[in-house]
Amino acid sequence: DAGVTQSPTHLIKTRGQQVTLRCSPKSGHDTVSWYQQALGQGPQFIFQYYEEEERQRGNFPDRFSGHQFPNYSSELNVNALLLGDSALYLCASNPRTSGRAGELFFGEGSRLTVL
Amino acid sequence: QQQVKQSPQSLIVQKGGIPIINCAYENTAFDYFPWYQQFPGKGPALLIAIRPDVSEKKEGRFTISFNKSAKQFSLHIMDSQPGDSATYFCAANRNAGKSTFGDGTTLTVKP
């Protein structure tokens, strides 16, 4: 049973560039969320996708956008990169209609460095 | 506004000790409270979770104690081992939507 997979694992970009991160959820999960984790801090919620629509959004600017595909996989796009966007980006999935839907299964993350 | 406050920031115990990590929340609409364990370079992994209508839950060496009136919950690790050395995060979730995380506790278990 494959868990949550993310790609790429590491990437380096320069200020002003754009980046796309990809995520495949755990088998049987239909909801995907993205989190940003700065060094030494807890994950911060970016947004959640369910049925190919953005359902909830955290306090992140419009430079952060996403998409969910019919197979439940998801992308996170960040435009006009800033130095402060350097972080570990985590994808998490959960089965929305399960009694344990509040439990997240995380991927290993994509480490983004902006120079 | 930080909705989930976690303490202590770091914790050192001897092997066999019982580290306790505490969290407090503000929003009474939260309806699910998971704990996650994260090793360096890895994503967080779910450890154990509890609903607010339950006062205690045990899974293996991990126990959550929940005090709904005080809006506090804690994680206890029984018979701690060096392999338990990691960063622990509490979280609060509402309606399977966004999860709000604490800032984490770095636990070191000395042999």
Side-chain angles (χ1 to χ4, degrees):
Chain A
D1 181 18
V4 178
T5 58
Q6 292 187 243
S7 63
T9 54
H10 296 83
L11 66 167
I12 300 174
K13 294 286 188 178
T14 56
R15 281 178 296 174
Q17 284 190 312
Q18 177 263 344
V19 67
T20 297
L21 308 178
R22 295 176 176 82
C23 170
S24 292
K26 179 179 170 65
S27 178
H29 289 187
D30 55 6
T31 302
V32 172
S33 301
W34 287 91
Y35 288 80
Q36 180 194 66
Q37 186 177 27
L39 205 59
Q41 295 185 16
Q44 297 293 314
F45 177 77
I46 302 175
F47 40 54
Q48 182 187 74
Y49 278 84
Y50 172 67
E51 290 184 334
E52 302 179 50
E53 289 188 16
E54 182 182 293
R55 299 293 177 167
Q56 261 189 305
R57 189 178 183 90
N59 189 25
F60 280 81
D62 292 344
R63 298 186 297 109
F64 289 76
S65 63
H67 190 77
Q68 185 180 34
F69 300 95
N71 66 352
Y72 308 123
S73 66
S74 177
E75 286 183 351
L76 165 65
N77 300 291
V78 187
N79 295 322
L81 285 167
L82 304 174
L83 296 179
D85 294 332
S86 295
L88 181 67
Y89 288 85
L90 295 162
C91 174
S93 71
N94 61 294
R96 190 170 186 86
T97 57
S98 160
R100 300 172 68 167
E103 298 175 358
L104 298 176
F105 290 79
F106 284 91
E108 300 286 78
S110 293
R111 171 71 64 186
L112 171 64
T113 302
V114 182
L115 301 177
Chain B
Q1 179 189 7
Q2 185 179 11
Q3 295 192 43
V4 178
K5 294 184 179 180
Q6 183 172 345
S7 63
Q9 193 172 40
S10 62
L11 189 53
I12 301 174
V13 300
Q14 293 294 131
K15 177 182 174 181
I18 306 175
I20 300 172
I21 304 170
N22 301 298
C23 283
Y25 63 98
E26 299 169 6
N27 188 348
T28 55
F30 289 135
D31 58 15
Y32 208 71
F33 299 88
W35 284 89
Y36 295 88
Q37 178 190 58
Q38 186 175 29
F39 293 103
K42 301 292 185 181
L46 178 71
L47 268 180
I48 185 173
I50 197 168
R51 294 193 180 281
D53 54 348
V54 176
S55 61
E56 185 177 275
K57 183 176 181 180
K58 292 182 181 181
E59 283 187 4
R61 296 186 294 110
F62 300 96
T63 299
I64 300 178
S65 297
F66 194 92
N67 186 329
K68 187 175 181 179
S69 61
K71 293 188 286 186
Q72 295 175 347
F73 58 111
S74 59
L75 176 70
H76 303 227
I77 306 176
M78 306 301 177
D79 187 28
S80 59
Q81 302 296 313
D84 296 329
S85 297
T87 300
Y88 293 81
F89 293 96
C90 62
N93 183 276
R94 179 189 177 193
N95 289 339
K98 68 175 274 188
S99 286
T100 301
F101 286 79
D103 284 337
T105 297
T106 301
L107 171 66
T108 302
V109 181
K110 293 196 169 184

